Amino acid sequence: MPKITTSVDYSDRDAAIAINSYTTVLRHPKVPHELFATYWRDVHGPLCSRIPGLGWYVQTHLSREQDARLWPAMEGIRPFPDYDLDGGVEIGFHSAKDQAAFNEACPILFADEQNMFAATVAYALPNGSTTLVDRVAEPSPNADDGLDRIHLHLGAVHDDAAAFGDRVGRLAQALAAEEAVLRLRLHLPDAYDNAHPAPPAPNVGHEVPAERRLVAILDIAFASPLDRSTFYASDAFIQAAEGLKADIAFASPFAVSGVYTYVRDKQLTLAGLRGSRPAQLIERLGARNQVAEDVRHLLHTGKLLGR
């Protein structure tokens, strides 16, 4: 079960992530989903986590088979056309210097993307993202933690990034103020430019249609689907969503099947060091020796401690 508190807000713990990116990922159609998910978690994940400069790395795996009522239908707002995703990735840094170190070393990472991804699109967040509320005590989840989590992707009606960002920001603040919302993290990236595709991974698609050039993403968590649906019927939600169609044309929600944290505060998590599933096995068996400093040092450096 997830470690949840409704009395403590842990949102400040994300403040060190000064620069961020949110990358949408679509698996290669010839790679079976289970193989894709396992490779991404246990092969690609530990590789990425070791790139110099990285301060924050989280994989969010998305499900295509959860209920269709993840976000209410609203007049004048429709889903993005032809928009399927298998995940979203946050890669963040504490400083521009750290980001430069990562960018210099990342070709070894991006060369791996073609093994599993058909398309990846990295939306830049040069001023970081904002966690408005987080009452989930676990700082580095490595599981489907039992919460009802969604990533809501919103697209603008117009090209006015400031007006779009302001309206999405007011929506996010209103939702975060409600008790039913356990976590809300807001991503307001720069408009994506197809002339400068990112990330520069070979043999992987990096272009977006016009409607996905200016987007926002809300990372939202509820205790349960029942809490979510009850909240959507509330006066508070109806008021918060009033008039959205003036600035928002598209809304596509994606159900989260698991959140896997590999780096936090510039430190490898156990999942980052060993892989997501091996880390789960170590925790389930209580294998204390596997998290001891001598084992960690050996796995991280290839050398015995003190030699």
Side-chain angles (χ1 to χ4, degrees):
M1 293 295 293
K3 301 174 185 176
I4 299 174
T5 174
T6 57
S7 60
V8 179
D9 183 357
Y10 296 93
S11 55
D12 286 350
R13 66 189 172 197
D14 296 339
I17 311 160
I19 302 167
N20 202 22
S21 65
Y22 183 98
T23 301
T24 61
V25 306
L26 179 69
R27 69 177 173 88
H28 195 288
K30 296 297 185 181
V31 178
H33 184 270
E34 185 60 29
L35 177 59
F36 156 80
T38 303
Y39 188 93
W40 188 21
R41 284 174 61 181
D42 296 329
V43 180
H44 188 79
L47 174 63
C48 180
S49 68
R50 286 164 169 77
I51 304 296
L54 194 57
W56 167 249
Y57 173 39
V58 179
Q59 294 180 4
T60 299
H61 290 227
L62 303 176
S63 171
R64 302 190 189 189
E65 299 177 349
Q66 196 161 327
D67 71 79
R69 296 169 294 175
L70 296 170
W71 184 255
M74 298 180 183
E75 182 181 357
I77 301 176
R78 59 192 187 279
F80 287 101
D82 302 317
Y83 196 33
D84 290 317
L85 291 177
D86 293 291
V89 183
E90 286 190 59
I91 290 181
F93 309 94
H94 287 204
S95 69
K97 182 179 178 181
D98 288 344
Q99 185 181 35
F102 176 88
N103 289 341
E104 183 178 358
C106 68
I108 194 172
L109 171 69
F110 295 146
D112 188 49
E113 288 199 359
Q114 60 194 310
N115 290 322
M116 57 184 163
F117 294 137
T120 58
V121 176
Y123 290 93
L125 292 144
N127 298 312
S129 302
T130 305
T131 303
L132 283 79
V133 66
D134 191 353
R135 290 192 287 269
V136 182
E138 173 55 60
S140 302
N142 178 41
D144 172 2
D145 59 9
L147 291 175
D148 179 60
R149 295 177 179 262
I150 67 169
H151 279 202
L152 176 67
H153 291 224
L154 303 172
V157 169
H158 44 62
D159 292 328
D160 188 338
F164 176 65
D166 177 71
R167 186 62 188 91
V168 174
R170 286 188 283 119
L171 172 66
Q173 290 172 353
L175 299 186
E178 298 302 316
E179 185 177 354
V181 178
L182 298 180
R183 170 181 165 85
L184 196 148
R185 182 159 167 79
L186 171 62
H187 309 284
L188 279 174
D190 288 349
Y192 189 82
D193 185 357
N194 282 332
H196 299 90
N203 304 315
V204 178
H206 306 299
E207 291 192 356
V208 300
E211 66 270 13
R212 300 210 303 267
R213 190 183 71 85
L214 184 58
V215 302
I217 300 98
L218 298 183
D219 170 354
I220 313 173
F222 299 92
S224 70
L226 180 59
D227 281 9
R228 165 169 43 87
S229 62
T230 302
F231 175 64
Y232 289 161
S234 70
D235 290 340
F237 177 80
I238 293 169
Q239 183 176 349
E242 186 175 356
L244 285 178
K245 67 180 180 180
D247 295 290
I248 297 171
F250 302 96
S252 288
F254 297 92
V256 173
S257 59
V259 181
Y260 308 99
T261 310
Y262 296 82
V263 178
R264 176 178 270 281
D265 297 328
K266 303 178 78 169
Q267 299 295 317
L268 287 171
T269 65
L270 186 57
L273 182 68
R274 302 297 293 269
S276 173
R277 284 174 174 81
Q280 290 176 335
L281 290 174
I282 291 167
E283 291 178 354
R284 288 184 65 184
L285 287 174
R288 189 174 68 249
N289 63 298
Q290 292 284 353
V291 298
E293 180 58 27
D294 57 348
V295 173
R296 187 179 183 92
H297 181 84
L298 175 63
L299 289 166
H300 194 48
T301 67
K303 299 178 181 179
L304 293 172
L305 189 64
R307 297 188 184 180

